[in-house]
């Protein structure tokens, strides 16, 4: 037997949130490349359409769906789309998330509500929607995206890190409840990866990327990794592929880290 066969996702279907950009996009493309049929979900409908189109042009199967993950009904609709288009749901990747920068003492209630609505409730609703289909099916893999921000406190990242720590505990608890149905639940805590998420630190007043800020950021992030390098969205997508595949059939309830060994304060 070719050991690579265990990573193949032929005949399986995956729903992915945040799939118009960054880590979610790489996940959609890698999963489709491994043979899965994918539903590309995102608030950015034009971006989601473009990713789905690119997958189809490369010989894969994909459809796009506009969703706002802070709304439970839209995650139900995402999962229903996977079933109506592809007949089943084998993988649910809850990737979408937003930044929530600022000092705790200065955070408004609106900022708190928004961070919780997207980063926590969005993943919670995604898990519930997936469970509704996967439980009667008796199988499935749910993968939630947390963050390396859960590993050490950092000033100005409190709101974000709180929601991502909650995603880690949601994952571990759901894994306990879902195992009896043959469903695995895992989380990723990605290290710093340049996407539109990180670019917010690197833009000048007009929104253009400030090259000196960009270079300083990349330099700082590289120094935090003993490998002296910065990760790319595919580094997370390959780990998601592993967790989605039968290679990870004995893996559940864990928080996985592709982060270059990053240690803050290094
Ligand atoms: N980039 C990093 O350094 C990093 C590190 C750790 C964790 N993460 C996490 O990885 C995930 C993906 O981030 P990324 O870096 O690829 O960012 P990104 O900004 O490139 O992609 C995020 C995607 O989520 C979508 N989105 C935002 N709000 C949404 C909503 N309410 N409903 C549906 N879609 C929505 C955006 O439109 C975007 O396409 C996030 O959960 C983020 O917190 C990123």
């Amino acid at each position: 037997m070719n050991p690579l066969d265990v990573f193949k996702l032929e005949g399986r279907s995956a729903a992915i949130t945040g799939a118009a950009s960054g880590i979610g996009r790489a996940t959609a493309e890698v999963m489709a490349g491994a043979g899965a049929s994918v539903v590309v979900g995102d608030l950015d409908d034009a971006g989601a359409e473009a990713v789905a189109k690119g997958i189809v042009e490369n010989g894969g199967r994909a459809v796009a769906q506009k969703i706002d993950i802070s709304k439970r009904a839209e995650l139900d609709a995402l999962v229903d789309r996977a079933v109506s288009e592809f007949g089943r749901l084998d993988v649910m990747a809850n990737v979408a998330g937003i930044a929530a920068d600022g000092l705790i003492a200065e955070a408004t209630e609106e900022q708190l509500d928004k961070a919780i609505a997207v980063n926590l409730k969005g993943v919670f609703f995604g898990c519930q929607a997936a469970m509704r289909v996967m439980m009667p099916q008796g199988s499935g893999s749910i993968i939630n995206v947390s963050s390396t921000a859960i590993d050490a406190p950092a000033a100005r990242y409190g709101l974000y890190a709180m929601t991502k720590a909650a995603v880690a505990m949601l994952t571990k608890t759901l894994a306990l409840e879902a195992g009896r149905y043959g469903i695995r639940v895992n989380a990723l805590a990605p290290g710093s990866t340049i996407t539109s998420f990180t670019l917010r630190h690197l833009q000048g007043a007009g929104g253009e990327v400030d090259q000196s800020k960009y270079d300083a950021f990349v330099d700082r992030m590289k120094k935090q990794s003993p490998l002296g390098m910065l990760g790319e969205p595919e580094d997370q997508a390959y780990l998601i592929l592993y967790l989605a595949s039968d290679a990870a059939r004995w893996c559940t309830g864990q928080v996985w880290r592709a982060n270059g060994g990053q240690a803050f304060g290094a």
Side-chain angles (χ1 to χ4, degrees):
M1 177 215 160
N2 183 340
L4 294 181
D5 287 348
V6 79
F7 293 95
K8 288 188 179 159
L9 300 179
E10 295 289 352
R12 307 210 185 164
S13 118
I16 304 158
T17 73
S21 172
I23 295 168
R25 175 185 180 153
T27 300
E29 292 171 348
V30 165
M31 291 234 227
S37 303
V38 300
V39 185
V40 177
D42 206 288
L43 194 57
D44 169 7
D45 51 341
E49 287 289 353
V51 171
K53 188 165 175 270
I55 289 172
V56 171
E57 283 170 0
N58 280 309
R61 283 173 303 277
V63 291
Q65 173 114 355
K66 182 176 184 184
I67 47 158
D68 179 348
I69 61 163
S70 65
K71 298 182 177 144
R72 171 184 255 140
E74 299 197 10
L75 280 154
D76 283 335
L78 181 78
V79 161
D80 289 345
R81 182 84 187 274
V83 175
S84 66
E85 293 278 349
F86 307 124
R88 49 191 295 116
L89 179 74
D90 300 289
V91 183
M92 178 76 187
N94 291 300
V95 183
I98 54 168
D101 301 333
L103 297 172
I104 290 171
E106 291 173 4
T108 63
E109 188 168 355
E110 288 70 27
Q111 287 169 326
L112 176 62
D113 287 345
K114 172 98 185 181
I116 292 173
V118 178
N119 288 355
L120 176 53
K121 288 171 83 174
V123 176
F124 194 95
F125 294 151
C127 288
Q128 287 186 314
M131 288 293 287
R132 178 169 56 77
V133 173
M134 290 174 176
M135 281 196 295
Q137 196 176 268
S139 66
S141 173
I142 299 173
I143 299 138
N144 298 326
V145 174
S146 174
S147 171
T148 198
I150 69 172
D151 290 329
R156 306 191 65 83
Y157 284 88
L159 283 188
Y160 178 73
M162 278 163 45
T163 59
K164 292 294 185 178
V167 167
M169 187 49 80
L170 161 65
T171 301
K172 292 180 201 176
T173 309
L174 183 59
L176 290 180
E177 298 173 1
R180 77 190 63 176
Y181 301 101
I183 302 166
R184 297 181 293 103
V185 191
N186 288 282
L188 259 63
S192 293
T193 309
I194 294 203
T195 63
S196 36
F197 180 87
T198 22
L199 283 179
R200 74 191 190 283
H201 295 302
L202 316 173
Q203 284 160 333
E208 74 295 344
V209 173
D210 178 322
Q211 196 59 42
S212 63
K213 279 189 186 170
Y214 184 95
D215 293 343
F217 178 83
V218 168
D219 195 47
R220 202 166 67 247
M221 292 301 131
K222 283 182 174 176
K223 283 193 179 126
Q224 285 175 355
S225 162
L227 297 174
M229 61 178 270
L230 201 59
E232 293 180 4
E234 285 70 18
D235 294 306
Q236 306 305 325
Y238 296 139
L239 182 49
I240 293 178
L241 171 63
Y242 169 69
L243 292 170
S245 75
D246 291 344
R249 66 177 194 161
W250 207 45
C251 302
T252 195
Q254 308 299 314
V255 180
W256 300 75
R257 289 167 173 79
N259 65 7
Q262 256 178 346
F264 291 104

